[in-house]
Amino acid sequence: MRTIASRMSVMSGEGALSVFARARELERQGRSIIHLELGEPDFHPGPSVIESAGKALAEGKDRYCAVAGVAALREEIAAYLHRTRNLTVSAENIVIAPGCKIALFLAMMALLEPGDEVLYPDPGFPGYPSISLGLGAVPVPFELAAHNRLQPDLNEIAAKITRRTRMLLTNSPGNPTGTVYTDDVQRGLAELAVKHDLWVLSDEIYARIIYGNEYVSMLRYPGMEERTLIIDGFSKSFAMTGWRLGYTVAPSEVTPALLMMAVNTYTCVAEFTQYAAIEALRDREGTTPRMVAEFAHRREQFVRDLNRVPGFRCQPPDGAFYAWVDITDTGMKAEEICRALLEDGGVAAIPGAAFGPSGKDFVRFSFASSVANLKEAVDRIMKVSTAWQGTLAGQ
Ligand SMILES: Cc1ncc(COP(=O)(O)O)c(C=O)c1O
């Protein structure tokens, strides 16, 4: 009998992509839509990056290449992590992948047995529970609750660790909340990981997009070196989403398994994009700091404006480019609000439950959009908010 493998029924898609599809459909019908649903910087890499991709192509760098990635790129990443995150890692411990998502998937596939439990943040990136389930592992959420300033609760995590817990997934700055884990939280997480001998999968894809102090990687904490894998890449920090470039930094014990996964899936990442990535890391034009400064400016304005919408409450995020808005006071469900915003107001945003059950009273807006778009979006949201202002008045 011809069937689809049962693992497919336990995996899930991404709310952002389905809202995007509906928004595009409305646009085809002639509607004006402001896209605040996707996690995609509205910037592009600088000219030196584009030129180096063209030069590499002209030089014939369009062949199969090293499975782990071009040596010069891996060395540049090691230097970059030292410069920006004070990490000392060897190029030997870096494996290039076509995007962070595949890096996450293959790292999890390399380390998890069916039945293993994976602790992950809720709300969080939808791939964490979906990939775990697809591998036959058991995703165990830990809450990022508003009453705990959207930080992981160490007591909750300690209480959820069992004999079967194999991996702790961290994401700081986090999608969708923008939470940057505090030093105390990271230290506590590291202690738990050591005590229970867990793998730590630290998704640091937003590490450069922070609005406060120096970024501290999970790898910096005692006992982390032999158990931590960092996932990072070029999609967010270098505005290169469509280039599909990511990497894993792994303990020496793990890299052979990652290379085996690479050989059995993508073989290697397009060579000319890897040469362009070297230029992106060198960032001659200062693209990343300029982009982050612009995000910081938008964050101020957008969060202030959102807090003027009746029933909306939003704390400025410490990192990433998302406004995570508590809509409890509107008396409406987040799905109803997002439907009204899109269908009636032409503003695309994502209901928080798309990021896990703990997100149900929230809506995520990306502020990776121009100041003019963000202002127009809030004007439109204000108009649509009459739908719930009646409910508010009756309270
Ligand atoms: C937390 C997190 N991890 C991983 C990814 C996937 O990144 P990439 O586009 O490089 O596959 C995303 C993208 O939205 C993300 O938000």
Side-chain angles (χ1 to χ4, degrees):
M1 193 172 58
R2 294 181 300 115
T3 54
I4 303 291
S6 57
R7 76 177 65 87
M8 298 318 298
S9 63
V10 293
M11 296 183 80
S12 48
E14 281 188 35
L17 298 179
S18 50
V19 172
F20 179 63
R22 175 66 186 148
R24 292 304 293 266
E25 196 179 310
L26 290 172
E27 277 175 326
R28 277 194 295 275
Q29 293 167 16
R31 294 278 309 279
S32 146
I33 304 292
I34 301 178
H35 290 275
L36 305 185
E37 75 279 39
L38 289 188
E40 177 159 74
D42 58 327
F43 286 76
H44 291 276
S48 63
V49 179
I50 312 292
E51 275 160 28
S52 68
K55 180 166 171 280
L57 267 175
E59 287 169 359
K61 295 196 168 82
D62 59 353
R63 314 275 87 195
Y64 290 131
C65 64
V67 174
V70 167
L73 173 58
R74 293 189 295 135
E75 273 152 28
E76 197 67 40
I77 291 171
Y80 162 80
L81 291 175
H82 187 68
R83 196 166 67 240
T84 57
R85 243 168 275 183
N86 205 6
L87 295 176
T88 305
V89 300
S90 157
E92 302 291 306
N93 295 82
I94 297 171
V95 179
I96 312 296
C100 290
K101 211 187 267 183
I102 191 90
L104 266 171
F105 198 114
L106 298 185
M108 291 171 78
M109 196 161 181
L111 300 178
L112 295 171
E113 299 284 1
D116 282 351
E117 293 174 9
V118 179
L119 284 158
Y120 74 98
D122 168 21
F125 182 57
Y128 304 148
S130 176
I131 297 169
S132 305
L133 288 167
L135 295 172
V138 182
V140 179
F142 59 85
E143 195 177 347
L144 304 180
H147 64 77
N148 199 30
R149 295 175 357 274
L150 302 168
Q151 292 282 332
D153 175 344
L154 294 172
N155 292 327
E156 180 200 350
I157 293 173
K160 286 185 168 167
I161 294 176
T162 72
R163 264 183 325 106
R164 298 308 308 262
T165 309
R166 187 79 55 217
M167 178 180 282
L168 170 65
L169 253 160
T170 60
N171 178 215
S172 170
N175 175 10
T177 60
T179 309
V180 175
Y181 297 2
T182 64
D183 179 51
D184 283 350
V185 163
Q186 295 210 132
R187 193 170 300 282
L189 291 173
E191 281 167 10
L192 285 172
V194 170
K195 182 170 170 199
H196 298 279
D197 200 14
L198 308 178
W199 291 113
V200 174
L201 195 53
S202 179
D203 182 345
E204 304 189 0
I205 188 169
Y206 295 99
R208 293 295 299 285
I209 306 173
I210 51 170
Y211 308 110
N213 301 328
E214 181 209 6
Y215 182 72
V216 185
S217 165
M218 279 301 290
L219 194 53
R220 291 265 295 275
Y221 290 84
M224 288 297 96
E225 215 162 299
E226 68 265 33
R227 68 186 66 253
T228 302
L229 286 79
I230 293 177
I231 306 286
D232 200 351
F234 296 81
S235 301
K236 317 289 178 176
S237 298
F238 298 96
M240 291 169 75
T241 47
W243 292 63
R244 311 310 302 135
L245 276 167
Y247 55 89
T248 308
V249 183
S252 302
E253 177 197 355
V254 178
T255 40
L258 297 182
L259 294 177
M260 181 65 83
M261 297 309 309
V263 167
N264 280 276
T265 51
Y266 57 86
T267 305
C268 62
V269 170
E271 195 178 13
F272 54 96
T273 63
Q274 296 190 57
Y275 280 93
I278 294 175
E279 281 306 317
L281 293 168
R282 291 180 181 160
D283 198 5
R284 292 180 206 282
E285 289 101 3
T287 306
T288 297
R290 205 164 344 102
M291 176 177 79
V292 175
E294 176 61 24
F295 285 159
H297 167 64
R298 295 173 188 178
R299 160 184 172 267
E300 290 289 302
Q301 177 220 302
F302 190 50
V303 169
R304 193 187 55 227
D305 290 351
L306 283 173
N307 277 312
R308 293 196 183 117
V309 177
F312 277 20
R313 266 183 290 147
C314 180
Q315 292 297 322
D318 290 328
F321 41 69
Y322 306 112
W324 183 241
V325 179
D326 186 335
I327 51 88
T328 318
D329 294 345
T330 63
M332 304 248 298
K333 288 195 183 328
E335 286 73 15
E336 291 166 352
I337 290 191
C338 288
R339 199 206 52 76
L341 291 182
L342 181 59
E343 305 288 334
D344 307 335
V347 177
I350 308 184
F355 302 94
S358 300
K360 74 174 178 40
D361 295 326
F362 290 80
V363 171
R364 190 193 82 171
F365 296 89
S366 161
F367 53 85
S369 193
S370 70
V371 168
N373 271 346
L374 294 171
K375 276 193 188 303
E376 169 69 18
V378 175
D379 287 348
R380 293 183 185 192
I381 296 168
M382 278 291 190
K383 284 194 192 115
V384 174
S385 74
T386 50
W388 59 83
Q389 281 183 39
T391 325
L392 276 175
Q395 278 173 0

